[in-house]
Amino acid sequence: MKKKEILTLALLIAIMPPAWAVLSPYLGNTVGPIALICAGIYGTNGNKFKDAHKIALGYLAGNIWALIAFEIMAHTPINPDITLFLTLAVFGFILVVISARFENIIHMPSWLTGWAIGMLTMNLDTNTPVLSLTVQIAVAMLVGVYYVGALLDKVHKLLNR
C-alpha cells in the first residue's frame, strides 16, 4: 500500500467509525460497536460491494436466528443445557444447509457471526426489551456493512484516484 493510501485509510478510520460510535446512542442505538464487528467481515471478504447485500442478509438472518433461539431457550421447560445444545445443533445444521444451497443470496460466515452477535448481545443486555434490542442490532449490522464497510471503502478509493 502506498503512503497516500495508508494515510487516507487511517484518516477515514479515525473519522467514520468514531462518528457512528458517538452518534449511535443519540439515535437510540445502544449496541453501536456491533457495526465495527460487522465491517470486519465485509473487509475480510475483500471489500467487494457486489457481496454487500448477501453479507447484510446473512447478518440479518443471524439476528433473527438469535431472537428465535433466545425465545426457545427462555420458554422451554427442559434442562437449559439440553435446550441450548439442541437449539444450537438444529439451527446450526439448518443454517449451513440453507446458506450452502443459496450461496449467491446469503453469506454463511455473516449468518453465523450475526447469530453469535445476536445471542451474545441478547444474553448480556437483560434490561432492553428483546425486540427493541433485535432492531438495534440489525441497524448496527447494516451500518457496519454499508457505512463503515462499503462507504468508507468507496470514499477511500475516490480519495486515492
Side-chain angles (χ1 to χ4, degrees), residues 37-159:
I37 299 167
C38 294
I41 284 194
Y42 179 82
T44 300
N45 192 57
N47 290 320
K48 293 183 233 163
F49 188 74
K50 68 180 180 77
D51 290 342
H53 306 312
K54 73 179 191 176
I55 291 170
L57 182 59
Y59 282 132
L60 297 177
N63 192 29
I64 297 300
W65 228 231
L67 175 62
I68 296 168
F70 178 86
E71 291 297 332
I72 287 170
M73 290 182 286
H75 297 98
T76 302
I78 61 174
N79 180 292
D81 292 334
I82 293 171
T83 301
L84 176 62
F85 178 83
L86 291 174
T87 302
L88 296 177
V90 170
F91 277 40
F93 181 89
I94 293 170
L95 182 159
V96 170
V97 170
I98 291 171
S99 58
R101 173 70 173 93
F102 299 102
E103 65 185 333
N104 292 332
I105 299 169
I106 195 158
H107 189 248
M108 185 190 312
S110 64
W111 191 349
L112 288 165
T113 304
W115 184 21
I117 290 168
M119 287 186 66
L120 176 64
T121 307
M122 290 172 195
N123 284 311
L124 290 177
D125 184 343
T126 57
N127 297 321
T128 307
V130 73
L131 288 178
S132 172
L133 195 55
T134 303
V135 170
Q136 291 181 54
I137 293 167
V139 169
M141 289 173 164
L142 295 174
V143 167
V145 173
Y146 292 109
Y147 171 71
V148 180
L151 182 61
L152 190 147
D153 184 55
K154 295 283 185 198
V155 172
H156 183 244
K157 286 176 180 168
L158 279 172
L159 291 174

Side-chain angles (χ1 to χ4, degrees), residues 24 34 58 77 157:
S24 62
I34 288 173
K157 286 176 180 168

